[in-house]
């Protein structure tokens, strides 16, 4: 049996998705903006070459973009999720054991033979079948696969695929020595400065560090990273799937607002919308929630920055969107004073249990309001999201926003590209020459 892990990581995923249905963007610098078109969250290779940095506020670079032909797009979450699912389905036809770590990358089981050829064929199939370029690497551990992927993306000679064991040992050592410790998967921004202060500035130095010392000073997770850099697999990714949406422990629905919410009616509407979306995910995976949380925050860029929230337990484990909405609204009413400029909020469902196997004493089974929830799900499945929902949520939007709330606090996406794979009225049109 072949040991190791395959990592497939899409290149500049959001920007690449924008190019799938707009070939005119090929070769042009493309940036994708965050909620409310705030700042740059994704850049094409051409935009990176121009020096555009991730996190740059859009309003500060509008003139730069005009002068250099940079194309900006609002985050098209519907398109990205759809293309991600298509990309994952292609991978499933090539290799088993997919674990989607994020929307644009996943780990797979290694091929039984001829690894390099298999990785390149899979990469070609994804590019041809979906239109998204992917870097595919294979290594003895997940951390080494991530390390190799980072190197392969910047090394044109690899052709977008590489196998760790096929590389010359001298080249492997060069990769380790040239990788800053802050870029090692599992280190994190908080640990990187501390490691650097200890002289552990590269992946190679972290690999050679005393494992007992690392565990004592930084904890077991970073000690596992050291083991992984030495070729011992010990990182477990169980607990959810970023693409299929299954979560074992917690479901969170969080969004920024298009404009601040200051009154309780607005917060109740937020609770209704967020609870409905969270409940859809909960019901889709066949779970019940035994604990409901809600949280809100003002803008972190204001002097009066503040967060507030809390938790409530339903009388029974539930997947009822109306009950979840009422609990979330009660939490926000109790903890979020009106008058403040709340900029974002979240509804959190946790302490999850399986709906079909939940066991309790006779007579204490959860009371489920199946009729209402099933009716909402059926209507929205047939006519589209938000066509039926919780009263707190208010009236749905119109036009391109008819799958969202009609409230003025919904996120702004003024440069949204067509959602060509999820809406009939925005489907791509092919013109034959």
């Amino acid at each position: 049996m072949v040991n190791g892990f395959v990592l497939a990581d899409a290149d500049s995923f959001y920007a690449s998705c924008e190019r799938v249905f707009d070939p005119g963007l090929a070769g042009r610098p493309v940036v994708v903006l965050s909620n409310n078109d705030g700042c740059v969250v994704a850049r094409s290779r051409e935009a990176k070459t121009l020096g555009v940095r991730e996190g740059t506020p859009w309003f500060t670079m509008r003139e730069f973009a005009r002068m250099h032909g940079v194309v900006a797009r609002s985050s098209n979450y519907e398109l990205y999720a759809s293309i991600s699912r298509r990309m994952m389905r292609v991978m499933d036809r090539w290799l088993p054991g997919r674990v989607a770590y994020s929307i644009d990358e996943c780990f797979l089981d290694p091929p039984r033979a001829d690894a390099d050829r298999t990785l390149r064929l899979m990469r070609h199939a994804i590019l041809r079948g979906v239109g998204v370029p992917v870097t595919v690497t294979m290594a003895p551990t997940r951390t080494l696969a991530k390390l190799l992927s980072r190197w392969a993306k910047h090394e044109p000679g690899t052709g977008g695929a590489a196998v760790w064991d096929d590389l010359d040992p001298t080249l492997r050592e060069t990769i380790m020595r040239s990788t800053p410790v802050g870029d090692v998967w599992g280190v994190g921004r908080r640990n990187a400065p501390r490691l650097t202060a200890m002289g552990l500035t590269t992946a190679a130095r972290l690999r050679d560090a005393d494992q007992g010392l690392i565990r004592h000073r930084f904890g077991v997770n970073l000690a596992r990273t050291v083991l992984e850099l030495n070729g011992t697999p010990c990182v477990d990714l169980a607990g959810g799937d970023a693409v299929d949406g299954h979560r074992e422990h917690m479901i969170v629905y969080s969004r920024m607002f298009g404009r601040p919410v200051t009154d309780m009616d607005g917060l109740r509407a937020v609770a209704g919308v967020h609870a409905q979306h969270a409940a859809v995910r909960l019901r889709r995976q066949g779970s019940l929630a035994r604990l409901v949380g809600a949280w809100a925050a003002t803008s972190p860029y204001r002097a009066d920055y503040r967060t507030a929230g809390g938790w409530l337990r339903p009388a029974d484990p539930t997947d009822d969107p109306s009950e979840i909405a009422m609990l979330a609204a009660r939490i926000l009413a109790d903890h979020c004073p009106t008058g403040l400029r709340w900029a974002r909020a979240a509804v959190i469902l946790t302490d999850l249990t399986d709906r079909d196997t939940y066991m309790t004493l006779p007579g204490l089974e959860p009371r489920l309001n199946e009729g209402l929830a099933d009716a909402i799900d059926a209507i929205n499945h047939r006519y589209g999201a938000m066509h039926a929902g919780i009263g707190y949520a208010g009236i749905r939007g119109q036009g391109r926003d008819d799958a969202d709330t009609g409230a003025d606090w919904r996120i702004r996406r003024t440069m949204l590209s067509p959602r060509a794979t999820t809406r009939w009225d925005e489907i791509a049109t092919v013109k034959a020459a």
Side-chain angles (χ1 to χ4, degrees):
M1 179 178 178
V2 179
N3 295 320
F5 300 88
V6 172
L7 171 66
D9 187 1
D11 301 339
S12 304
F13 180 64
Y14 285 6
S16 296
C17 289
E18 294 292 343
R19 287 173 166 166
V20 170
F21 293 102
D22 190 352
L25 296 179
R28 300 180 63 185
V30 178
V31 297
V32 178
L33 306 178
S34 63
N35 290 341
N36 300 319
D37 299 337
C39 62
V40 175
V41 294
R43 306 156 292 161
S44 67
R45 186 183 300 273
E46 296 80 3
K48 295 175 183 177
T49 301
L50 286 175
V52 177
R53 299 177 65 86
E54 189 171 324
T56 303
W58 172 241
F59 77 89
T60 67
M61 62 167 292
R62 281 199 186 97
E63 184 60 24
F64 176 89
R66 186 189 65 80
M67 293 175 59
H68 293 85
V70 177
V71 179
R73 291 285 185 264
S74 302
S75 290
N76 192 337
Y77 301 116
E78 301 90 337
L79 177 68
Y80 309 152
S82 174
I83 290 180
S84 175
R85 287 191 291 270
R86 295 177 182 215
M87 183 175 71
M88 300 295 173
R89 283 198 293 268
V90 174
M91 295 181 197
D92 290 341
R93 295 200 291 266
W94 285 86
L95 295 173
R98 171 170 60 85
V99 178
Y101 177 66
S102 67
I103 192 173
D104 63 341
E105 61 182 324
C106 70
F107 290 99
L108 303 119
D109 291 343
R112 294 183 178 179
D114 204 353
D116 185 78
R117 182 173 182 271
T118 302
L119 300 192
R120 294 182 188 279
L121 288 173
M122 185 177 76
R123 181 182 185 276
H124 177 73
I126 296 168
L127 183 60
R128 183 173 182 178
V130 183
V132 174
V134 176
T135 298
V136 190
T137 55
M138 176 176 160
T141 70
R142 290 188 171 97
T143 302
L144 287 175
K146 293 278 287 187
L147 196 77
L148 184 58
S149 178
R150 177 187 177 277
W151 171 79
K153 285 179 182 291
H154 298 89
E155 189 65 34
T158 64
V163 177
W164 183 261
D165 288 343
D166 290 350
L167 300 182
D168 184 270
T170 302
L171 178 56
R172 294 203 297 261
E173 185 64 21
T174 299
I175 295 171
M176 296 282 271
R177 290 181 178 181
S178 64
T179 302
V181 71
D183 290 338
V184 175
W185 188 51
V187 169
R189 294 181 180 179
R190 291 185 178 180
N191 289 332
R194 295 175 59 195
L195 290 169
T196 300
M198 295 170 59
L200 306 178
T201 56
T202 66
R205 292 190 174 185
L206 180 60
R207 175 201 60 195
D208 298 335
D210 181 86
Q211 294 178 20
L213 176 65
I214 294 297
R215 178 166 184 161
H216 175 71
R217 293 195 178 184
F218 297 92
V220 67
N221 288 332
L222 194 59
R224 288 173 179 160
T225 298
V226 174
L227 287 171
E228 290 247 330
L229 289 173
N230 280 279
T232 302
C234 54
V235 172
D236 183 14
L237 295 181
D241 189 291
V243 175
D244 295 337
H246 184 85
R247 297 290 187 271
E248 290 188 9
H249 307 297
M250 180 181 293
I251 292 173
V252 180
Y253 188 87
S254 174
R255 288 291 184 273
M256 293 181 64
F257 305 147
R259 63 171 56 187
V261 173
T262 59
D263 61 359
M264 191 50 57
D265 287 341
L267 289 174
R268 288 194 187 95
V270 169
V273 172
H274 287 27
Q276 183 169 329
H277 284 291
V280 167
R281 297 178 182 178
L282 187 72
R283 290 172 61 80
R284 184 183 297 148
Q285 68 179 45
S287 297
L288 302 173
R290 292 179 284 198
L291 186 62
V292 176
W295 163 87
T298 60
S299 171
Y301 301 105
R302 293 177 58 90
D304 60 350
Y305 174 64
R306 179 171 177 178
T307 62
W311 303 88
L312 285 174
R313 286 195 179 275
D316 297 289
T318 185
D319 62 2
D320 182 357
S322 60
E323 182 174 12
I324 294 171
M326 285 188 288
L327 292 173
R330 189 186 309 168
I331 293 169
L332 294 181
D334 291 343
H335 296 275
C336 302
T338 57
L340 294 179
R341 296 170 61 84
W342 300 106
R344 70 179 305 153
V347 168
I348 307 162
L349 308 178
T350 187
D351 197 5
L352 305 182
T353 186
D354 186 76
R355 177 188 175 103
D356 295 329
T357 60
Y358 175 71
M359 300 292 291
T360 187
L361 295 175
L364 297 179
E365 297 84 358
R367 297 188 297 272
L368 303 177
N369 188 355
E370 296 182 354
L372 175 61
D374 288 344
I376 292 175
D377 288 348
I379 293 170
N380 288 333
H381 178 73
R382 179 170 181 177
Y383 296 103
M386 298 298 292
H387 277 65
I390 309 303
Y392 279 150
I395 305 300
R396 67 184 176 93
Q398 301 297 315
R400 296 193 76 190
D401 296 318
D402 65 355
D404 200 350
T405 176
D408 60 1
W409 47 261
R410 68 173 179 266
I411 61 171
R412 297 189 306 272
R413 296 191 288 179
T414 60
M415 292 173 278
L416 182 66
S417 57
R419 293 160 286 187
T421 59
T422 59
R423 290 182 61 111
W424 287 107
D425 57 341
E426 298 181 20
I427 195 169
T429 302
V430 179
K431 298 180 180 179

